[in-house]
Amino acid sequence: TLYCHIRITERHMHPISIRLDRVFDVQPDAFSGNMRRTLFSFESSGKKYFSVLVDGDPKLKSGQTITAILEHQDDWQTVMGIRIHETGEVFAPDVGLHIWLLLLTTFFTGILYMELQYSHPAALPPTHAGYLLIAAFHVRSVVVAKRIRRALCPISSMPQE
């Protein structure tokens, strides 16, 4: 189990460290659009795991040890992020992307508000409600992405108590 400077208390975040005895079928995910995601399969302690999806383009090799955050315990189809111990690289959701999308949404909602204020004032409440829903989604995504990344932090970066 990985211990970091925060405790994982989210009920949908399960850390696990595992040695990859054999890595195979590493390929970019064809269904992720513009996002860089990688599918890979691996064997560990005689058990095989297939089509594990992770953000980014990790250079996975047989013999490496990774720490993964799983949304559902022991379910490798729910990987939220990984850290490769040998390189210290973290592959998890991008916090900056969600912040950028929140700012972009706020900007365009401001423009829409100025337009609707005079031409269609009755449309303002649904516009506010829609913005709040989108903003809440992005804020939640930022919080979850930060928690995943924090949980995957290298042990050496833990503050000394």
Side-chain angles (χ1 to χ4, degrees):
T1 304
L2 172 70
Y3 292 99
C4 220
H5 58 275
I6 66 163
R7 282 199 184 111
I8 300 175
T9 57
E10 294 292 318
R11 59 186 176 130
H12 296 296
M13 290 177 67
H14 304 278
I16 184 169
S17 291
I18 195 166
R19 185 178 190 282
L20 306 175
D21 296 332
R22 184 170 74 102
V23 177
F24 55 98
D25 292 339
V26 179
Q27 57 191 353
D29 180 33
F31 300 105
S32 293
N34 292 334
M35 293 178 56
R36 293 182 70 179
R37 300 180 89 187
T38 301
L39 278 167
F40 70 98
S41 300
F42 69 95
E43 185 175 351
S44 179
S45 300
K47 195 168 181 185
K48 292 181 181 177
Y49 303 89
F50 298 97
S51 298
V52 177
L53 184 63
V54 66
D55 288 344
D57 187 21
K59 305 296 182 229
L60 296 166
K61 299 175 188 159
S62 297
Q64 289 179 321
T65 301
I66 64 168
T67 294
I69 302 296
L70 308 179
E71 187 173 358
H72 302 290
Q73 193 157 1
D74 300 324
D75 183 358
W76 282 89
Q77 298 302 307
T78 63
V79 171
M80 300 171 84
I82 67 168
R83 178 172 61 90
I84 302 172
H85 289 227
E86 288 75 10
T87 63
E89 293 176 296
V90 172
F91 297 92
D94 187 11
V95 176
L97 173 67
H98 291 289
I99 291 173
W100 170 246
L101 289 172
L102 177 61
L103 293 174
L104 195 63
T105 302
T106 302
F107 174 75
F108 283 114
T109 302
I111 291 173
L112 183 63
Y113 176 82
M114 289 187 289
E115 179 64 31
L116 292 177
Q117 184 176 1
Y118 299 108
S119 62
H120 296 78
L124 288 177
T127 301
H128 285 299
Y131 168 73
L132 290 175
L133 284 173
I134 293 170
F137 169 78
H138 287 300
V139 168
R140 182 190 174 282
S141 296
V142 166
V143 169
V144 168
K146 287 185 102 167
R147 285 183 180 162
I148 292 167
R149 287 187 170 275
R150 222 177 272 144
L152 290 169
C153 73
I155 305 258
S156 61
S157 69
M158 284 178 39
Q160 300 298 320
E161 294 183 26

